[in-house]
Amino acid sequence: MLKYLFTLLLLILTSTSFSQVIEVKGDIFDILYSETLEQPIRVRYKVLCDGTGMRNSRKGLYFYKNDSIHTSDNKDYYKNVWDKGHMAPAADFNCDKKDLKETFSYLNCALQHQDLNRRTWRYLEAHERNIATRYDVYVIIHIIFSENSKRLPTGATVPDAFKKTIYVDGEIYGVWYFENKSIKDKNYNLYKQKWKTL
């Protein structure tokens, strides 16, 4: 089991509610995780594998829970449109078997609409790896919730949206905002808020 450094924080998630949030400092990512929502609210990582190096098989890898943090689990994703969406993508860490396994923690998993996860979001992840062949790439993802966010009968809360900010050599390269719904566009730049070209 991987070891994490935990810090308890109190953050305002909406104008009327508080939630206990745990800061998780892992080997490959930093995460703010809400036990109340059973979802991450922020994920930060550096792209370590640009897709040109050695690839490890995902065979036998399944999402796993952390004993000390209350997270979502397989029941929240069963027979619905919500994928177990990696926030720090497995492919960004696929050059090292240990790092790859760490991405399968439920701490790094959000309820993400299957169409968004399997198409537009996936193409943007491939784009960040392509940039990482030439530059240092850091990513921050904010998982967005509101008072109207849907809570599943199984306990986890469905995010309203995802905001991904990509930094290239320390400068903002772009900010993308995706509502958590059926999005099938291959062109992720339709959702880009700020522009920069390399």
Side-chain angles (χ1 to χ4, degrees):
M1 185 57 67
L2 299 167
K3 296 186 183 289
Y4 300 98
L5 175 65
F6 304 114
T7 307
L8 293 179
L9 303 172
L10 284 179
L11 295 180
I12 300 175
L13 294 183
T14 69
S15 59
T16 59
S17 66
F18 289 84
S19 177
Q20 179 172 292
V21 173
I22 297 172
E23 184 176 16
V24 181
K25 293 186 178 289
D27 294 333
I28 63 169
F29 48 54
D30 293 337
I31 293 175
L32 293 181
Y33 197 91
S34 168
E35 291 186 301
T36 304
L37 300 172
E38 297 181 19
Q39 295 285 278
I41 59 173
R42 190 196 70 202
V43 178
R44 297 189 301 196
Y45 60 91
K46 179 183 179 183
V47 179
L48 297 181
C49 184
D50 60 21
T52 61
M54 184 178 73
R55 310 293 285 178
N56 290 286
S57 171
R58 296 189 190 190
K59 186 176 181 179
L61 290 179
Y62 303 97
F63 277 93
Y64 59 90
K65 291 174 62 70
N66 184 285
D67 293 339
S68 58
I69 299 178
H70 179 66
T71 65
S72 63
D73 57 36
N74 194 53
K75 294 188 295 291
D76 297 303
Y77 302 87
Y78 183 66
K79 288 189 176 180
N80 58 35
V81 298
W82 310 113
D83 272 358
K84 296 172 185 167
H86 280 86
M87 294 294 94
D92 285 16
F93 302 94
N94 204 6
C95 295
D96 181 274
K97 187 71 172 180
K98 181 182 76 69
D99 290 347
L100 175 62
K101 182 178 179 183
E102 189 168 346
T103 69
F104 281 84
S105 168
Y106 274 108
L107 295 168
N108 183 45
C109 178
L111 287 153
Q112 191 169 50
H113 196 285
Q114 60 190 13
D115 294 337
L116 172 61
N117 181 49
R118 299 174 194 182
R119 295 200 182 213
T120 323
W121 188 263
R122 180 171 62 90
Y123 291 120
L124 180 54
E125 290 173 339
H127 180 60
E128 70 191 47
R129 284 190 296 279
N130 182 54
I131 299 171
T133 62
R134 296 166 287 151
Y135 304 95
D136 286 334
V137 176
Y138 292 85
V139 180
I140 300 177
I141 300 170
H142 289 91
I143 299 91
I144 312 296
F145 298 89
S146 69
E147 292 178 344
N148 298 319
S149 297
K150 178 180 180 179
R151 192 171 188 96
L152 299 179
T154 48
T157 302
V158 178
D160 296 338
F162 301 89
K163 184 176 83 168
K164 175 178 276 198
T165 305
I166 297 178
Y167 295 82
V168 175
D169 286 347
E171 296 185 9
I172 291 181
Y173 166 66
V175 180
W176 288 261
Y177 185 89
F178 300 96
E179 292 183 32
N180 194 14
K181 63 182 184 179
S182 178
I183 295 174
K184 298 181 180 180
D185 297 303
K186 291 185 176 181
N187 185 2
Y188 46 81
N189 281 324
L190 294 173
Y191 305 91
K192 194 172 184 181
Q193 310 296 301
K194 296 181 181 178
W195 295 83
K196 183 175 180 180
T197 57
L198 294 175

